[in-house]
Amino acid sequence: GPAFPMLQQTGVNADRIEISGGMTLLDYFAGLAMRDQVAAEIEMWRNGRPNSPQGVHERVARGAYDQAAAMLAEKARREL
């Protein structure tokens, strides 16, 4: 299911609750992973081994989504 879904009361007397919306777990996990990706870039700069600043945003985004996809794959594996 989604991360942070919204609960909505429905029905004639608002006697039912439906879950809708929210962000995908992939997007949620990528947002969490992005912190680590940015921290790794900063650490490389501090240690004098910087990556090229060219494409840093794309590199961080790609790494975050790669890490998020791996997390979802592991989650699916464990739920078998």
Side-chain angles (χ1 to χ4, degrees), residues 2-16:
F4 308 112
M6 296 182 346
L7 302 178
Q8 297 177 330
Q9 288 184 306
T10 61
V12 176
N13 298 316
D15 57 349
R16 290 183 16 207

Side-chain angles (χ1 to χ4, degrees), residues 38-78:
V38 170
E41 291 283 335
I42 291 170
E43 191 64 24
M44 290 185 78
W45 277 93
R46 284 184 180 157
N47 292 329
R49 299 180 326 243
N51 283 325
S52 167
Q54 186 77 19
V56 68
H57 297 104
E58 293 81 5
R59 192 167 49 250
V60 166
R62 188 172 39 253
Y65 271 96
D66 286 349
Q67 188 174 353
M71 291 171 69
L72 285 177
E74 180 61 18
K75 180 181 182 298
R77 187 189 70 76
R78 290 175 182 234

